[in-house]
Amino acid sequence: MATVAEIFKTMEYGPAPESDKEALGWLGKHERVFGHFIDGAWTDPGRTFDVINPSTSKTIARVTDGTKADVDAAVSAARRALPAWKGLTPHARARHLYALARAVQKHSRLLAVLESMDNGKSIRETRDIDIPLVARHFYHHAGWAQLLGSEFEGYEAIGVVGQIIPWNFPLLMLAWKIAPALAAGNTVVLKPAEFTPLTALAFAEIADAAGIPAGVVNIVTGHGETGAAIVEHPDVDKIAFTGSTEVGKIIRRSTAGSGKKLSLELGGKSPFIVYDDADLDSVVEGVVDAIWFNQGQVCCAGSRLLVQEGVADRLLAKLRARMEKLRLGSPLDKAVDMGAIVAPVQLERIRTLVQQGVDEGATMWQPSWACPTDGYFYPPTLFTGVQPSSTIAQVEIFGPVLVSMTFRTPDESVALANNTPYGLAASVWTESINLALDIAPKIKAGVVWVNSTNLFDAAAGFGGYRESGFGREGGREGMWEYVKRQVSGPRSQVSGKTPPSPQRPETRDLRPLSSDEMPELDRTPKLFIGGKQARPDQGYTRRIYSPSGEMVGEVPEGNRKDIRNAVEAAHAAKGWGRSTGHNRGQILYYIAENLAARGAEFAARIDAMTACGKRRAKQEVEASISRLFTYAAWADKYDGAVHSVPIRGVSIAMNEPIGVMALVCDDAFPILGLVSLIGPAMATGNTTIVVPSHSYPLAATDFYSVLETSDVPDGVVNIVTGDKDALAKVLAEHDDVEAIWYFGEREGVKQVELASASNMKRTWATWHERDWLDRAMGEGRDFLRAATQVKNVWVPYGE
Ligand code: NAI
Ligand code: MG
């Protein structure tokens, strides 16, 4: 028996196990076998699979592998429950969400222990982070339910939402999905990850007891095939997914053309950047939170340590000393820092990647102590001497493995930080606020933490750029993912009728120019690329006919090479995104002014092409001028927000341009359709490649000279005419195009969404006919939101 004095001397921790009695009691009550939770009741267990405690490798329960029929049953329960749930007053739904928050708090101990047993994460984390954040999420969204009518006026629930979540934060991911969905009036079918289904099942029971109506929350357990059945179900209106980029791409492809709304929160390889003036002791604790929190199984883990050369050796020495002191062991022991890896397959993946790092020549370091052997444990690991292009610097390891690299200058740090296909999060460590706030906007990531890391809150949006996915979770920006514009009553009649669907020019009309056919050399139709009227790569042109069959002109047939040139020009013009809102507004006003000066000419052209009548053509030009004014107005008014997060500090939500956008116009409105897309894209700082109206492109080619006389910087707007769907496909496939809007036919929508998966570019593709003259439908915040992505920059105050 050690004396107190001896204990003081060694400073060793004894074990401090949290009791698993309550959790075992709950499992026992269910005889450790579970069906699904559908329509407010348990189903009989079907074919089951084992649920394993990764810290002991023992089976703790069995759950049902969901079949297509199970998914069908859950979706129809959700469909039946939808009208009543959606029809509740916002206040009534707010009370339900509030009840959920209270119920989670009441059962917090059960949930924390169960989570720890199922996932292997430490009880300290589940008790102090996961479960409190779950409750916080429901409280916060009780608020959005209450405010839905006033803050989301004109919007309504999307319908039945399918939600698929991973195993790294099982209950927290459930809360991130379910809270906003319910607040907005949707009903849900959620599939937890196969490794960690238990807290979702416990939640279903808790929610039921808290009075959530039957069918509003349905939980179906199972593997990837069960998830796929939800994704492919025709009666599901939206899919929300968190998991690997690989599966995210599969889901993007399988929902293409279905009209399902999609939000994807995928992987990352987030940089943790340390400048030479940073407080290195805080940095060390930051790194512990960044990469050893949850054993590094965190999508936004700071897994790439980028250190300014001068302080690298000092920091790494401190870090190794700290790693030596990390405590790894039974997750239910309140004194451990790190628990177990979720499953053998993940452990194997970590081992393989670490070996690959060693084989590639990097230096691996691990603390001297040994891991327990009866579960799936992996020690904290540090790599130095890492090449930026090596596998371990590029691939998400999803384990407690940190790779470190050095840089010399801030510019170099940004280049290194952005040197992956991902863009989820970043940490920036410096005592200079100037430097921190200079770097934050330059990093391609949805979240940037200044002198902090892994901060989350329900009030701040979370989500990625690039291959880390799209859509946000949390805060107002997250709520947009769960609402759609209300369609009520007959379409507004302001606009009169849309012109008749034109006959598309046949391919046989395509032909090389021959000089004797062309009246004047300077009328040779061209493309508009890099601020210049550019000859197309090939000499083919497309004849444009009026509805009565007269030829009204020709446009070039743009091809893959022309698109490539246009994309290059758009990239070269990216400085546009850093110009001021005031300047962008000025240029949009100037375009409007120059269009107005030539209004009669444009109206005549529109009438000649579409035979819509003089009055209607004039109306279109007037509406185009007004639309440009709208976005000139917005250019300095599409503000971000400062979120109220519960830290001493702020989370600044900035609306950033997406970058290079492809804009594919629909047919009906030759000039209004075009300015309705370039307006919001330009106002928010994007550069664009436009494919104008397929059948009536001549107003767009006339528009070149308006752009030329309006001080639009070269490359901000590029216009390529030709076969709309062929060009759209090239643009959707192009890895240097960051977003694509497509208005057209359903088949085209499908092609665009399919092809977009290559680099997970953002898409906004619809086949619903849009009356561009109707301001409610043709302009406003929906467009601005689709042209931007939100970056949340967390800035703590104080010492
Ligand atoms: P995963 O992406 O396969 O699993 C996530 C969820 O998707 C699970 O519920 C799974 O059953 C479901 N799923 C799998 N295939 C599906 C399909 N075809 N259709 C619909 N749902 C499907 O991830 P996994 O295999 O568990 O982990 C592999 C790697 O993915 C990890 O090593 C890590 O790099 C990454 N990952 C990233 C996460 C994040 O939070 N961003 C979370 C989990 C994994
Ligand atoms: Mg498990």
Side-chain angles (χ1 to χ4, degrees):
M1 190 71 191
T3 65
V4 171
E6 277 165 356
I7 291 172
F8 258 113
K9 216 162 169 187
T10 62
M11 283 304 274
E12 292 229 323
Y13 295 86
E18 175 71 48
S19 164
D20 56 5
K21 210 173 126 212
E22 203 181 339
L24 292 177
W26 181 78
L27 289 171
K29 192 181 86 183
H30 288 276
E31 295 170 346
R32 300 201 178 202
V33 185
F34 294 84
H36 310 297
F37 197 87
I38 295 175
D39 209 7
W42 292 105
T43 65
D44 289 335
R47 200 169 50 121
T48 60
F49 60 93
D50 289 346
V51 179
I52 303 212
N53 179 336
S55 68
T56 62
S57 37
K58 298 237 161 63
T59 300
I60 48 174
R62 283 180 298 128
V63 300
T64 298
D65 207 2
T67 62
K68 259 196 154 97
D70 297 333
V71 170
D72 271 345
V75 171
S76 25
R79 179 63 58 191
R80 284 194 304 277
L82 182 65
W85 180 252
K86 187 172 167 178
L88 288 178
T89 63
H91 177 62
R93 275 202 308 276
R95 285 187 175 217
H96 276 299
L97 277 127
Y98 183 78
L100 282 175
R102 299 284 302 146
V104 165
Q105 282 186 317
K106 250 195 281 184
H107 295 284
S108 59
R109 193 184 155 97
L110 164 69
L111 293 168
V113 174
L114 198 59
E115 192 80 308
S116 176
M117 288 169 66
D118 196 357
N119 167 282
K121 61 169 71 191
S122 77
I123 184 72
R124 247 178 43 206
E125 287 177 15
T126 59
R127 183 195 61 195
D128 299 345
I129 298 170
D130 293 65
I131 309 305
L133 278 174
V134 169
R136 160 90 184 125
H137 225 77
F138 282 106
Y139 280 124
H140 178 80
H141 285 87
W144 284 126
Q146 176 78 16
L147 300 177
L148 196 74
S150 56
E151 293 300 300
F152 295 89
E153 205 187 336
Y155 291 82
E156 63 181 357
I158 295 169
V160 174
V161 181
Q163 307 183 314
I164 295 155
I165 57 172
W167 40 262
N168 52 346
F169 294 89
L171 195 64
L172 185 58
M173 290 302 104
L174 173 148
W176 281 22
K177 297 279 180 290
I178 289 187
L182 297 196
N186 303 277
T187 56
V188 309
V189 175
L190 178 138
K191 189 192 87 64
E194 48 272 47
F195 300 140
T196 55
L198 295 180
T199 46
L201 295 171
F203 175 84
E205 201 176 84
I206 288 167
D208 185 58
I212 299 297
V216 170
V217 174
N218 304 279
I219 308 288
V220 179
T221 52
H223 292 84
E225 298 86 82
T226 314
I230 296 174
V231 170
E232 285 154 20
H233 200 290
D235 204 27
V236 167
D237 302 304
K238 178 202 158 76
I239 295 292
F241 171 79
T242 299
S244 61
T245 294
E246 190 194 342
V247 173
K249 288 184 176 180
I250 294 173
I251 292 176
R252 166 70 292 178
R253 293 192 178 106
S254 80
T255 55
S258 68
K260 284 177 189 145
K261 195 167 163 147
L262 193 57
S263 47
L264 300 172
E265 202 262 272
L266 309 175
K269 189 76 180 175
S270 298
F272 187 106
I273 314 170
V274 182
Y275 296 94
D276 57 12
D277 66 343
D279 169 3
L280 293 189
D281 291 317
S282 307
V283 167
V284 169
E285 291 316 305
V287 172
V288 170
D289 275 345
I291 188 66
W292 294 309
F293 169 55
N294 204 23
Q295 296 70 251
Q297 304 168 120
V298 182
C299 51
C300 52
S303 52
R304 288 186 299 146
L305 176 63
L306 313 181
V307 195
Q308 200 156 13
E309 233 169 42
V311 293
D313 288 343
R314 248 170 67 217
L315 176 61
L316 292 171
K318 278 175 187 281
L319 203 54
R320 289 190 194 101
R322 181 70 177 87
M323 288 167 76
E324 195 63 46
K325 293 233 150 49
L326 284 171
R327 292 171 56 86
L328 184 148
S330 166
L332 285 183
D333 183 341
K334 283 174 274 197
V336 311
D337 299 308
M338 287 174 65
I341 301 298
V342 73
V345 46
Q346 288 300 123
L347 188 59
E348 200 39 50
R349 180 187 159 89
I350 296 166
R351 286 188 177 140
T352 307
L353 283 162
V354 166
Q355 188 55 47
Q356 209 163 333
V358 173
D359 293 347
E360 283 177 348
T363 307
M364 198 255 289
W365 190 90
Q366 291 174 336
S368 62
W369 43 263
C371 287
T373 49
D374 47 358
Y376 318 132
F377 292 94
Y378 197 86
T381 302
L382 171 67
F383 271 105
T384 51
V386 178
Q387 292 301 317
S389 59
S390 65
T391 310
I392 52 169
Q394 289 292 326
V395 170
E396 182 175 48
I397 300 176
F398 228 64
V401 182
L402 180 65
V403 301
S404 89
M405 287 166 267
T406 57
F407 63 86
R408 292 197 187 95
T409 62
D411 278 350
E412 221 178 283
S413 73
V414 171
L416 207 49
N418 289 335
N419 181 32
T420 76
Y422 295 114
L424 195 49
S427 284
V428 175
W429 294 75
T430 167
E431 292 297 290
S432 157
I433 186 81
N434 278 340
L435 181 60
L437 296 183
D438 180 46
I439 296 296
K442 292 180 180 163
I443 295 182
K444 294 184 175 135
V447 186
V448 179
W449 293 293
V450 174
N451 292 328
S452 55
T453 193
N454 278 342
L455 296 174
F456 310 100
D457 185 56
F462 182 88
Y465 282 25
R466 306 202 281 183
E467 293 195 22
S468 291
F470 43 76
R472 293 290 177 268
E473 300 190 281
R476 183 190 296 269
E477 52 266 37
M479 282 297 290
W480 287 114
E481 304 295 329
Y482 287 96
V483 294
K484 64 172 187 201
R485 196 170 260 293
Q486 224 156 22
V487 267
S488 51
R491 280 267 204 93
S492 103
Q493 292 299 306
V494 252
S495 54
K497 67 171 177 30
T498 36
S501 257
Q503 283 279 283
R504 287 201 171 178
E506 299 274 330
T507 319
R508 66 184 143 76
D509 288 332
L510 299 182
R511 50 181 196 136
L513 294 175
S514 81
S515 52
D516 53 323
E517 280 178 281
M518 296 309 296
E520 286 167 59
L521 201 58
D522 65 341
R523 294 299 290 172
T524 306
K526 296 207 179 68
L527 306 171
F528 190 66
I529 294 175
K532 289 177 199 63
Q533 304 206 17
R535 281 182 194 286
D537 173 52
Q538 286 179 329
Y540 291 104
T541 60
R542 168 178 295 267
R543 291 178 175 184
I544 306 304
Y545 297 95
S546 73
S548 57
E550 279 163 74
M551 191 177 120
V552 285
E554 288 179 294
V555 294
E557 186 71 8
N559 68 9
R560 191 174 285 273
K561 212 160 162 198
D562 299 313
I563 292 287
R564 200 175 67 201
N565 294 339
V567 173
E568 264 172 36
H571 269 279
K574 270 183 146 178
W576 177 248
R578 292 184 292 275
S579 63
T580 64
H582 173 76
N583 276 345
R584 294 196 297 266
Q586 291 292 301
I587 287 172
L588 284 160
Y589 281 126
Y590 202 16
I591 299 173
E593 194 183 303
N594 286 322
L595 178 61
R598 290 170 52 192
E601 182 196 326
F602 272 89
R605 180 67 113 174
I606 292 167
D607 188 27
M609 281 190 293
T610 68
C612 62
K614 284 201 170 53
R615 202 184 69 89
R616 156 75 188 232
K618 193 161 167 249
Q619 199 185 4
E620 181 177 341
V621 174
E622 283 305 316
S624 302
I625 295 160
S626 164
R627 187 124 313 152
L628 287 161
F629 263 64
T630 296
Y631 291 110
W634 271 118
D636 63 353
K637 295 176 191 64
Y638 191 54
D639 297 331
V642 178
H643 292 309
S644 288
V645 288
I647 59 163
R648 277 194 69 215
V650 291
S651 169
I652 308 164
M654 308 195 295
N655 293 320
E656 293 193 340
I658 299 176
V660 171
M661 295 181 70
L663 307 173
V664 185
C665 302
D666 67 7
D667 244 5
F669 293 87
I671 193 69
L672 182 58
L674 185 145
V675 301
S676 297
L677 305 193
I678 62 167
M682 286 178 71
T684 49
N686 299 281
T687 61
T688 62
I689 302 108
V690 187
V691 178
S693 167
H694 180 97
S695 308
Y696 312 124
L698 294 173
T701 56
D702 296 341
F703 197 61
Y704 299 169
S705 54
V706 172
L707 294 169
E708 282 169 334
T709 52
S710 304
D711 293 347
V712 178
D714 295 350
V716 169
V717 180
N718 304 280
I719 300 178
V720 179
T721 54
D723 184 308
K724 168 182 174 173
D725 285 342
L727 294 174
K729 186 157 181 283
V730 175
L731 285 161
E733 281 167 352
H734 202 300
D735 278 344
D736 291 328
V737 172
E738 289 154 312
I740 180 165
W741 292 358
Y742 175 95
F743 294 85
E745 307 292 321
R746 186 163 185 162
E747 192 47 39
V749 169
K750 184 173 175 183
Q751 286 308 320
V752 161
E753 289 182 342
L754 269 177
S756 72
S758 63
N759 72 342
M760 294 311 281
K761 59 175 67 66
R762 278 133 198 77
T763 59
W764 184 21
T766 84
W767 62 83
H768 305 291
E769 208 177 291
R770 200 169 277 260
D771 181 355
W772 293 105
L773 285 170
D774 180 355
R775 290 185 58 201
M777 223 181 285
E779 67 179 42
R781 283 186 179 268
D782 288 351
F783 290 81
L784 294 158
R785 256 198 315 280
T788 50
Q789 48 195 349
V790 181
K791 173 181 282 174
N792 272 282
V793 181
W794 292 64
V795 188
Y797 307 148
E799 283 297 294

